[in-house]
Amino acid sequence: MSFLGFLLLGLIAGAIAKLILPGKQGGGWFVTLLLGVVGAMLGGWLGGMLFNANLEEFWSLQSWLLAIGGSIVVLLIYGLIVGRGDRKA
């Protein structure tokens, strides 16, 4: 997959992950892009390690599911880290 395809996949996966998770997540489109790309990388890495997944194709359902799953994990971690600053004692 090309670099531009990878960025597009990450952006869309990050947006889908934001839609799936309940509640309000901070960050705009740039944070969504970054979290989506990091999540796609994490999902692809875990998919390759655990399931021996082939992620060469942009339109592969396996690539999309792993990217969205990875983005959800990264978005949850981001929410835990950023959410701590919002609480008042």
Side-chain angles (χ1 to χ4, degrees):
M1 186 178 330
S2 71
F3 183 71
L4 184 59
F6 186 72
L7 286 178
L8 182 62
L9 177 68
L11 178 62
I12 296 170
I16 292 172
K18 275 191 165 186
L19 290 174
I20 291 173
L21 288 177
K24 183 178 185 246
Q25 292 87 22
W29 68 270
F30 188 71
V31 173
T32 300
L33 173 67
L34 289 177
L35 293 176
V37 169
V38 170
M41 288 174 52
L42 175 68
W45 179 73
L46 287 175
M49 294 293 288
L50 299 176
F51 307 117
N52 198 20
N54 183 10
L55 305 172
E56 301 288 322
E57 302 274 334
F58 181 79
W59 293 111
S60 167
L61 181 62
Q62 186 177 24
S63 297
W64 282 92
L65 291 177
L66 287 171
I68 293 169
S71 295
I72 289 173
V73 170
V74 170
L75 195 57
L76 286 172
I77 293 170
Y78 175 76
L80 289 173
I81 293 171
V82 173
R84 290 183 187 169
D86 294 340
R87 295 182 188 160
K88 294 182 180 181

